[in-house]
Amino acid sequence: MIYALTLPGLPPRANARLVPVVVAGRPALRHRHGAGVKQWQGDAKVSALVQLRQQGLWSPLAGRVAVVARWTAKRPRDVDAGVKDTLDALTGVLWVDDRQAGPLALDVRLGEAEGTEVWATVDLEAWLETVREVCVS
């Protein structure tokens, strides 16, 4: 089964910056995102939860989850611009941990109606067919 999601808008262009922190007594660097990223992730998580329930998925998928993601933007955008924020938004809803996501296929298109679409499955044959339909067409 392929789970298809349409998330609200695009992940904001994160002005993430590295900030020094102390973890277990050792210095480290962590990314700090702006409030817009957290708001988008929350909105995307709620939207995904509703759509997945409508598709019959009541708990996160187990094991590897093959993903196709497509962002439609009005202006050119880096293909990897929304990957982390999108995967993080779906954690706890589509999968338990975003480390389960893979393989990934990413596509960015230009268009007037900005948006984020995600297709996910545990079936690799179905994923390959979705890649052909979404990324090649």
Side-chain angles (χ1 to χ4, degrees), residues 14-107:
N15 292 326
R17 56 190 179 114
L18 292 173
V19 294
V21 295
V22 176
V23 178
R26 303 179 83 174
L29 294 173
R30 293 276 167 93
H31 282 95
R32 173 181 271 160
H33 294 289
V37 171
K38 293 297 182 191
Q39 179 66 48
W40 183 85
Q41 286 177 339
D43 293 346
K45 189 178 291 279
V46 169
S47 177
L49 187 64
V50 169
Q51 292 175 65
L52 290 169
R53 295 300 183 266
Q54 291 171 343
Q55 295 175 56
L57 183 67
W58 292 91
S59 61
L61 296 170
R64 299 294 290 169
V65 181
V67 179
V68 178
R70 177 169 60 201
W71 295 276
T72 303
K74 293 179 183 176
R75 294 176 298 181
R77 186 177 173 101
D78 290 340
V79 72
D80 63 345
V83 176
K84 180 171 180 13
D85 295 329
T86 302
L87 297 181
D88 286 349
L90 297 174
T91 296
V93 177
L94 186 55
W95 41 66
V96 175
D97 188 298
D98 61 4
R99 289 178 286 184
Q100 292 172 249
L104 298 172
L106 309 172
D107 189 31

